[in-house]
């Protein structure tokens, strides 16, 4: 049986009213189309209000933060060369 590699998961941790977050989301959305990864945005303040304060506690002082497959990849800006290189690595 042949299994295909799973799609990379990119999460952008944000907060409402953050213009840098908005700019990074636009950039990542364009890259997602080109590089074939799933993109999700998570407002850390909304998550904390919903009973999950962990992301805000860990990352809230350096938003926006990009996570690749659940691990911190970059913050304050998209490290596009590194993201491209990391996405080129085969996924299990």
């Amino acid at each position: 049986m042949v299994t295909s590699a799973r799609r990379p998961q990119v999460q952008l941790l944000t907060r409402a009213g953050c213009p840098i977050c908005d700019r990074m989301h636009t950039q990542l959305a364009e890259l997602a189309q080109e590089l074939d990864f799933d993109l999700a945005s998570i407002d850390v303040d909304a998550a904390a209000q919903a009973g999950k304060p962990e992301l805000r506690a860990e990352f809230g002082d350096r938003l926006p933060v990009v996570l690749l497959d659940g691990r911190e990849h970059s913050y304050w800006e998209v490290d596009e060369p590194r993201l491209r290189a990391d996405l080129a690595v085969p996924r299990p």
Side-chain angles (χ1 to χ4, degrees), residues 50-90:
K52 297 188 176 191
E54 300 83 16
L55 290 176
R56 182 170 66 185
E58 185 171 350
F59 300 108
D61 63 341
R62 57 183 190 271
L63 294 174
V65 174
V66 176
L67 304 180
L68 175 58
D69 294 329
R71 294 188 181 134
E72 185 175 342
H73 189 270
S74 58
Y75 60 95
W76 295 338
E77 63 183 32
V78 176
D79 185 343
E80 189 173 330
R82 181 173 167 227
L83 183 61
R84 287 179 178 278
D86 290 347
L87 289 169
V89 175

Side-chain angles (χ1 to χ4, degrees), residues 7 16 18 20 23 26 28 33 35 38-39 41-42 44 47 49 57 59 75 78-79 84-86 91:
R7 286 170 53 100
C18 171
I20 297 170
R23 186 184 76 232
T26 299
L28 287 169
Q33 291 178 350
L35 302 174
D38 293 329
L39 175 62
S41 288
I42 299 171
V44 297
Q49 288 179 341
F59 300 108
Y75 60 95
V78 176
D79 185 343
R84 287 179 178 278
D86 290 347
R91 302 235 155 341

